[in-house]
Each structure stands twice: as structure tokens, then as C-alpha cells.
Amino acid sequence: DAGVIQSPRHEVTEMGQEVTLRCKPISGHDYLFWYRQTMMRGLELLIYFNNNVPIDDSGMPEDRFSAKMPNASFSTLKIQPSEPRDSAVYFCASSLGQGQTQYFGPGTRLLVL
Amino acid sequence: GQSLEQPSEVTAVEGAIVQINCTYQTSGFYGLSWYQQHDGGAPTFLSYNGLDGLEETGRFSSFLSRSDSYGYLLLQELQMKDSASYFCAVGSNTPLVFGKGTRLSVIA
């Protein structure tokens, strides 16, 4: 298996622009997680899905953030409008079960100017 | 709620042994996992303990004591490439909860 795939790997944008991050989980994994990592706040869980259904989005910082999972092999995290404080590394991870081992994608390094 | 405690930084000499401790508070405990993350990289799974005792994978070992809510990661024959951040994570009936990570620096 190719593992979790994320795109783009790097994104530089200007404040106010829309940013869309993409993720393809490992085939057969029922759970998909979106994380944000910064030096100050560490690894934060933003939202997670089970069988394409959002289960808990309490970690989403603001209404500017939204996530979808239209099918078992694709998810997006969108920021609209983006702000400089959104600059971080965004990871997608997938797992077979809710509390089981998660496998992370390479991450998207976002810089909002 | 759930919480984990691990040291923020550890420094060790190349070729030595280092132990990174992790204590946790959780309900519905499934197991304790360890992840490694190099600078600029993604967290990668290292080991998992669902039962008490020691799990060994090459130079790395992980230990769990459920009665003490405590575990550790043991790295032997340290190499420069082991310099990274190490996260413990608790599995339960909720998604994994990660500690804040221990930054390991291996020096010559």
C-alpha cells in the first residue's frame, strides 16, 4: 500500500485566499483524522471521520475551517478565508479503529502571508 | 478527560541507552503507542503495548504497566539518526490522545 497520501506538500498563499488540502487514506481504513501541528500548540486533532461521516469536529478552530469526506478514499480540509495564524503543518492520518494505531501522511506545510 | 505527561527534552550520547517515560490518565484504556517524528517529517508508528510488559523491536523496546498508568520507550545503541521527537499516545474508546512529545538529541 502507498500509505496515506496528502497534497499539496507545500502551500504558500496570501491572507484571505481559500486553501484546500487533500488526503487519500490507506485503503480499508475506516477512520480518517486531520491534525494541525505548530511549535506552540503541538499536535492538535481538528476533526475525524468514521466511514466518511464526521464524528467530532470540536477541534476545528473556527468556522473558517471545514472538512469533507465524500467517499472512502478522499477527504478535504478547507480554510476560507485563510489567515497568517493558520500557518502550520497539517497532517492527515487513518486507522482501522478509533483508538488503534494511526498512520500519518507526509503533511502539508502551509504558510499564509 | 485524558492526559499524558512526558519529558520535553532528553540528551544522550551516541552508543548509550536512553529511556523516555510516559504517564497517562484515561478511561477505557486500550493501549499505549509510541511515535517518532524527525524534523520536517511526519509522525511514524514505532511500537504498541496493549498488555503489561516489554515489547522489543530491534534497538527499540517499549514497556507498559497498566496498574501504574505508566510506560516507557527504551532506545539502545543510540545513533545520531535517532535524534527526533518521540510521542506517546493513549488509545481508548476515543481517538488516540498524543503527548506533547520528547525531543531527543543524540550527541557524539
Side-chain angles (χ1 to χ4, degrees):
Chain A
D1 199 314
V4 176
I5 298 171
Q6 291 187 246
S7 65
R9 295 291 303 275
H10 302 272
E11 178 81 23
V12 180
T13 191
E14 293 186 346
M15 182 174 62
Q17 297 298 305
E18 177 180 294
V19 175
T20 299
L21 311 181
R22 298 173 175 80
C23 175
K24 176 178 168 53
I26 292 173
S27 178
H29 282 191
D30 293 334
Y31 285 83
L32 183 141
F33 308 84
W34 282 101
Y35 290 90
R36 179 173 67 177
Q37 187 176 40
T38 61
M39 288 293 293
M40 292 296 294
R41 302 176 69 91
L43 196 62
E44 301 175 278
L45 177 63
L46 300 178
I47 185 173
Y48 75 98
F49 295 83
N50 178 27
N51 291 323
N52 315 336
V53 176
I55 303 301
D56 185 352
D57 65 354
S58 60
M60 297 286 259
E62 300 173 33
D63 291 346
R64 298 183 296 105
F65 286 70
S66 63
K68 294 181 180 180
M69 191 165 186
N71 58 63
S73 59
F74 183 67
S75 177
T76 60
L77 178 67
K78 185 175 294 187
I79 309 172
Q80 167 62 21
S82 58
E83 296 183 2
R85 58 185 168 146
D86 302 330
S87 298
V89 182
Y90 291 82
F91 289 105
C92 174
S94 69
S95 71
L96 285 170
Q98 185 166 239
Q100 297 187 18
T101 299
Q102 293 182 15
Y103 296 88
F104 284 74
T108 295
R109 283 151 183 77
L110 174 65
L111 177 62
V112 183
L113 302 173
Chain B
Q2 297 167 317
S3 66
L4 295 96
E5 293 288 334
Q6 55 181 127
S8 59
E9 294 183 1
V10 172
T11 300
V13 178
E14 189 176 17
I17 298 173
V18 71
Q19 179 174 312
I20 300 173
N21 298 320
C22 175
T23 58
Y24 60 86
Q25 288 185 324
T26 187
S27 57
F29 179 80
Y30 287 178
L32 187 70
S33 300
W34 289 92
Y35 287 76
Q36 178 192 59
Q37 185 179 25
H38 286 99
D39 287 346
T44 57
F45 172 73
L46 280 180
S47 69
Y48 172 79
N49 293 75
L51 301 174
D52 289 353
L54 194 67
E55 294 286 338
E56 298 180 72
T57 307
R59 294 187 298 113
F60 294 2
S61 303
S62 58
F63 172 82
L64 174 66
S65 170
R66 288 175 295 173
S67 61
D68 296 321
S69 297
Y70 164 75
Y72 65 72
L73 180 68
L74 191 73
L75 296 84
Q76 302 182 72
E77 301 173 15
L78 280 173
Q79 302 176 8
M80 300 300 287
K81 67 178 182 179
D82 297 330
S83 293
S85 292
Y86 293 84
F87 297 86
C88 57
V90 169
S92 66
N93 53 0
T94 63
L96 286 180
V97 176
F98 287 84
K100 294 193 177 300
T102 298
R103 186 168 185 85
L104 170 64
S105 299
V106 180
I107 59 176

